[in-house]
Amino acid sequence: MRVVIQRVSKASVTIEGRCKSAIRNGMLILVGIEEADGQEDSEWLCRKIVQLRIFDDEQGIMNRSVQDIDGEILVISQFTLHASTKKGNRPSYIRAARPEKAIPMYESFCTQLSQALGKEVRTGEFGADMKVELLNDGPVTICMDSKNKK
């Protein structure tokens, strides 16, 4: 699993002109699932994400987690995170999981993340044409891949 984490002051996702979800102060997480991903990838990422110290403390040092600041999380599925651009100019998405695998993994990831955070995680809609708006705070943007644990 691959994620792009952005520290945000606010973020929202709109589908067909209707706001599906919105958060204040927290994280916007784009998540890409590949065929080789399993439950252990999801569990590892969830633990890392909620404990990731990317929020400022009183001294302005990134020393607090999303849990520490009682922040919110918005998760958006994004298969394009597994794009391969090695050949030609058109990205290949062959590593991205097919919907029959990706949808249950995405839903499980969101459930696990909600449990780890201790409150509901907001989401987009898998496979929908989504418009994502955010105000990146910092900016702080971190990429993580469960295949690079070591």
Side-chain angles (χ1 to χ4, degrees):
M1 290 179 82
R2 206 171 269 173
V3 295
V4 174
I5 302 164
Q6 296 185 29
R7 184 176 78 178
V8 297
S9 298
K10 64 180 178 177
S12 64
V13 59
T14 301
I15 302 168
E16 296 179 1
R18 189 182 112 265
C19 181
K20 164 103 172 46
S21 297
I23 64 165
R24 304 282 272 150
N25 202 27
M27 296 174 165
L28 168 66
I29 300 175
L30 307 175
V31 59
I33 299 162
E34 66 177 315
E35 286 295 333
D37 289 330
Q39 194 65 25
E40 62 282 353
D41 296 289
S42 181
E43 291 169 359
W44 181 81
L45 278 171
C46 287
R47 280 193 310 275
K48 291 292 283 187
I49 289 167
V50 297
Q51 296 174 12
L52 198 60
R53 297 183 341 197
I54 61 170
F55 295 92
D56 294 347
D57 63 15
E58 296 80 20
Q59 287 77 41
I61 298 169
M62 286 194 282
N63 203 23
R64 290 191 169 155
S65 70
V66 68
Q67 286 180 314
D68 295 336
I69 66 153
D70 195 31
E72 297 179 283
I73 296 177
L74 173 59
V75 180
I76 305 294
S77 63
Q78 189 162 359
F79 74 93
T80 60
L81 292 180
H82 287 290
S84 174
T85 56
K86 290 182 181 179
K87 292 190 334 187
N89 294 318
R90 184 176 179 180
S92 168
Y93 304 105
I94 198 157
R95 288 184 52 202
R98 297 187 124 338
E100 49 275 5
K101 174 172 180 139
I103 292 171
M105 288 256 342
Y106 170 73
E107 291 170 352
S108 175
F109 175 77
C110 292
T111 299
Q112 289 174 353
L113 197 53
S114 290
Q115 291 169 348
L117 184 62
K119 63 179 162 183
E120 182 184 359
V121 165
R122 306 284 183 204
T123 65
E125 183 178 310
F126 191 96
D129 180 16
M130 297 177 274
K131 308 302 180 209
V132 179
E133 290 186 79
L134 67 130
L135 181 57
N136 192 318
D137 181 15
V140 175
T141 302
I142 296 174
C143 301
M144 294 173 65
D145 191 318
S146 64
K147 301 301 186 245
N148 296 327
K149 294 177 198 162
K150 297 177 178 149

